[in-house]
Amino acid sequence: MYLHPPQRPVTRLKRFAASAVAAVALISMAAASTTTLARAPYVKAEKPITDEQGRVQVIIDFTDDAHLEYPGQNQDPQRNGVVISGENFVHKEKTLALVADFERRYGVKRLGITSWIGNSMTALIASEQLDKILAEPLVKQVSDDEEHRFSAFAPPWYNYNFYPEWMSWGGDAVNAKVSTGNTGRKIYIIDSGVAYHDDLPLLPTNRKNVACGNGNCNATDPYNYPLVGCYAHATHVAGIIGATASASNGKTTRGVYAGFPNMVSLNVTERLTGDDCSTRDPVTLTSYIGHALDYISWDNTNNNPNKIIHVVNMSINVGGVQLLNQGAPGANWTKVRTISNGVWVGGIQFVAGALFIQSAGNTSPSNFTDACLLSYSVGPVSPQQPALPSDGIIVVGAVNEHGRAVSQAEAFSASIPANLSGSAGYSAYGKCVDLWAPGDAIVSTWGAHTGPTLSTQQYTGNVYGAGTTGGWGFLSGTSMAAPHVAAVAAWLADMNNPTTSGALETLVRNSSSQHFGAVDAAGFPVKIPRLP
């Protein structure tokens, strides 16, 4: 049950007691008396999202303590508040009160909010509202929301036959393993929604749509927020991570950590009005990715008492997690840092961190080639600082079957079957890439070849069957590289039980090696992880 549907935000005000109204009034007065303070920064997008009235869709990040004076239970474990357990995703009451007051004072309406990963709201605002909002003392930053495309392309194949299934050459490159039990560890897949497939050990309860900011938008609006998106990108990613091995079912292919039992699909796409799945080229928004990070933070806070180090895979660029404008953070940059760090107070860990893994991005000569501009960055754009070895965040570039970076000279090829993915390109590179992994001609689970992937259908694959119409596909891209590292990380975590995301990243880095002195186009070493 979700406690505040986005379409009815004003009803939350009815819960305020008289004392609450007084508290809100004091805050409003304090805001009005401090308008001379410095304005919050405004991060503009190259292609902002606007409506018919010319309003711009933005993400408003509030200060860390903006919610504290509002009524309601705090629910921050580090402040000895109330922690809600179970599967019911709820936002913090104080943040809800903060957002409701902000809506009243500025005449805006929330499209979505975050409260566990930090206080923020998404809204459409007019230019005259923007000036006032930037002067609001409770506002830390305003960022344009923007669209992002999934990082998938496609190539040839060099795979291994474990009849009646394949294992991609990528599984051999990283020495794929088979799961032997459930440790409780999770791999969150922030993507387009994993389909039902008989080669994927993914429970229905582990599929969520978080695009609207609810813990499971599908529960209240299944048409506009399906669990499974039309494009099978997420299904392919999930198969690379954990498709079941032949000893269990003998289906299409086996994953890098075959049969991994706790993949969690977080769909960050919305069905557009009138969309009948005629397109398989979806987009997501910065705010939707923020909602996914918020869900992960909530789940990790409330449903991880043993502080297990989970893994997050995001094969999307850029998602608002990069630094821009000479070091200004994207809207989700701090949120990713919170995911990786967890919550610490006085040297005590209250909420475990999660290892965040992101694709470096696909590129072309006419586009950005520097991964620092397409993925998570750790320092100012000029000069850009290199990737950090133990910050709990790994950016992954793509290599081909020869262990070389997929480059302009050795580019990605078309998908098999044709037209499953976008045009050819090559991997982004540079000092912001932490590791490299197989991303060229990777066979994995898919939906139907002849049409969109439907949430009402379970798919099956048989790459040997003549005339088959779906269930598998060969794709390439950094989208395919990232889940290789996610699976490697989950296996290393299960074997070593690290207590921080940084410690897990160190384990993954220590498992990597540079083949035949391979370097990327900028001269940085190309290191690929391999399990023992």
Side-chain angles (χ1 to χ4, degrees):
M1 178 180 68
Y2 190 57
L3 298 183
H4 76 299
Q7 65 271 26
R8 298 180 60 198
V10 178
T11 60
R12 300 298 300 166
L13 294 175
K14 297 178 181 179
R15 300 185 56 194
F16 294 172
S19 61
V21 175
V24 169
L26 288 174
I27 295 166
S28 300
M29 291 172 59
S33 66
T34 55
T35 54
T36 57
L37 295 177
R39 290 160 54 93
Y42 175 40
V43 179
K44 296 183 178 181
E46 183 177 350
K47 296 181 179 180
I49 300 169
T50 59
D51 66 359
E52 294 178 353
Q53 302 174 40
R55 297 179 301 178
V56 179
Q57 187 163 315
V58 300
I59 301 165
I60 302 167
D61 281 296
F62 298 100
T63 59
D64 295 343
D65 59 356
H67 64 299
L68 295 183
E69 298 302 323
Y70 282 86
Q73 294 176 327
N74 195 300
Q75 299 175 349
D76 284 335
Q78 68 270 32
R79 300 182 187 274
N80 299 316
V82 176
V83 177
I84 298 174
S85 61
E87 283 298 319
N88 292 328
F89 182 97
V90 294
H91 279 300
K92 295 178 181 179
E93 293 177 358
K94 287 181 176 289
T95 302
L96 291 173
L98 163 66
V99 170
D101 178 52
F102 197 84
E103 289 176 318
R104 178 185 62 80
R105 292 195 287 123
Y106 289 97
V108 297
K109 182 179 179 181
R110 79 193 76 173
L111 300 176
I113 76 170
T114 66
S115 63
W116 292 92
I117 200 67
N119 301 318
S120 75
M121 67 179 289
T122 305
L124 287 162
I125 62 172
S127 57
E128 61 270 19
Q129 292 172 311
L130 175 61
D131 290 336
K132 296 177 182 178
I133 290 172
L134 291 175
E136 164 64 60
L138 296 181
V139 172
K140 179 168 61 176
Q141 178 173 304
V142 177
S143 309
D144 284 350
D145 210 351
E146 58 183 323
E147 295 181 345
H148 308 286
R149 299 191 178 274
F150 296 89
S151 316
F153 296 118
W157 62 91
Y158 303 89
N159 300 294
Y160 298 86
N161 185 338
F162 291 89
Y163 186 83
E165 71 180 4
W166 290 92
M167 181 177 74
S168 76
W169 69 267
D172 184 67
V174 300
N175 196 22
K177 304 293 184 181
V178 177
S179 175
T180 58
N182 190 340
T183 64
R185 198 173 314 282
K186 298 177 182 179
I187 299 179
Y188 300 95
I189 302 172
I190 301 176
D191 213 291
S192 60
V194 179
Y196 297 91
H197 196 292
D198 62 6
D199 211 13
L200 293 176
L202 197 67
L203 299 174
T205 54
N206 279 359
R207 291 176 169 88
K208 314 285 183 184
N209 186 310
V210 297
C212 71
N214 188 322
N216 187 0
C217 308
N218 177 263
T220 55
D221 190 354
Y223 177 79
N224 287 311
Y225 299 102
L227 296 177
V228 176
C230 299
Y231 183 44
H233 181 276
T235 307
H236 200 269
V237 167
I240 292 172
I241 292 172
T244 310
S246 59
S248 300
N249 70 352
K251 298 295 180 179
T252 312
T253 183
R254 64 174 66 183
V256 173
Y257 196 1
F260 181 81
N262 281 332
M263 290 185 285
V264 179
S265 170
L266 298 180
N267 187 356
V268 290
T269 65
E270 175 185 4
R271 181 177 283 129
L272 300 177
T273 303
D275 181 18
D276 60 356
C277 279
S278 59
T279 175
R280 286 178 288 170
D281 184 24
V283 296
T284 187
L285 303 182
T286 301
S287 57
Y288 295 173
I289 292 169
H291 298 159
L293 297 171
D294 197 51
Y295 176 88
I296 294 168
S297 183
W298 166 83
D299 193 33
N300 209 13
T301 300
N302 293 285
N303 300 307
N304 189 9
N306 296 324
K307 299 182 177 59
I308 296 170
I309 304 301
H310 298 315
V311 178
V312 180
N313 186 92
M314 192 176 90
S315 292
I316 303 172
N317 303 98
V318 289
V321 305
Q322 84 285 24
L323 290 175
L324 60 163
N325 294 348
Q326 298 300 312
N332 290 325
W333 188 89
T334 301
K335 298 177 178 69
V336 168
R337 293 292 302 161
T338 303
I339 287 288
S340 63
N341 290 338
V343 177
W344 295 77
V345 177
I348 299 175
Q349 185 183 55
F350 282 87
V351 178
L355 181 62
F356 184 85
I357 297 169
Q358 184 192 13
S359 54
N362 304 322
T363 188
S364 66
S366 60
N367 199 354
F368 295 118
T369 57
D370 187 353
C372 298
L373 302 174
L374 297 170
S375 55
Y376 183 84
S377 301
V378 296
V381 173
S382 180
Q384 178 62 56
Q385 296 176 12
L388 296 177
S390 60
D391 60 352
I393 301 167
I394 297 178
V395 175
V396 185
V399 298
N400 58 27
E401 69 274 17
H402 303 295
R404 297 191 291 265
V406 178
S407 64
Q408 190 171 357
E410 297 179 273
F412 296 130
S413 305
S415 63
I416 300 175
N419 302 319
L420 290 185
S421 137
S423 59
Y426 50 94
S427 175
Y429 55 86
K431 62 181 71 174
C432 286
V433 178
D434 292 87
L435 291 173
W436 296 75
D440 193 33
I442 305 298
V443 61
S444 185
T445 47
W446 193 256
H449 294 161
T450 56
T453 305
L454 303 176
S455 58
T456 56
Q457 181 174 340
Q458 183 176 43
Y459 295 90
T460 185
N462 179 3
V463 293
Y464 295 98
T468 55
T469 59
W472 54 271
F474 294 88
L475 268 73
S476 295
T478 57
S479 277
M480 287 61 251
H484 280 81
V485 177
V488 165
W491 187 89
L492 287 170
D494 281 348
M495 296 300 107
N496 297 278
N497 197 29
T499 58
T500 67
S501 61
L504 177 53
E505 180 181 355
T506 298
L507 287 171
V508 177
R509 285 178 175 272
N510 288 345
S511 73
S512 66
S513 59
Q514 183 181 13
H515 296 276
F516 307 109
V519 296
D520 69 10
F524 291 94
V526 173
K527 291 189 174 182
I528 306 167
R530 180 176 174 81
L531 295 173

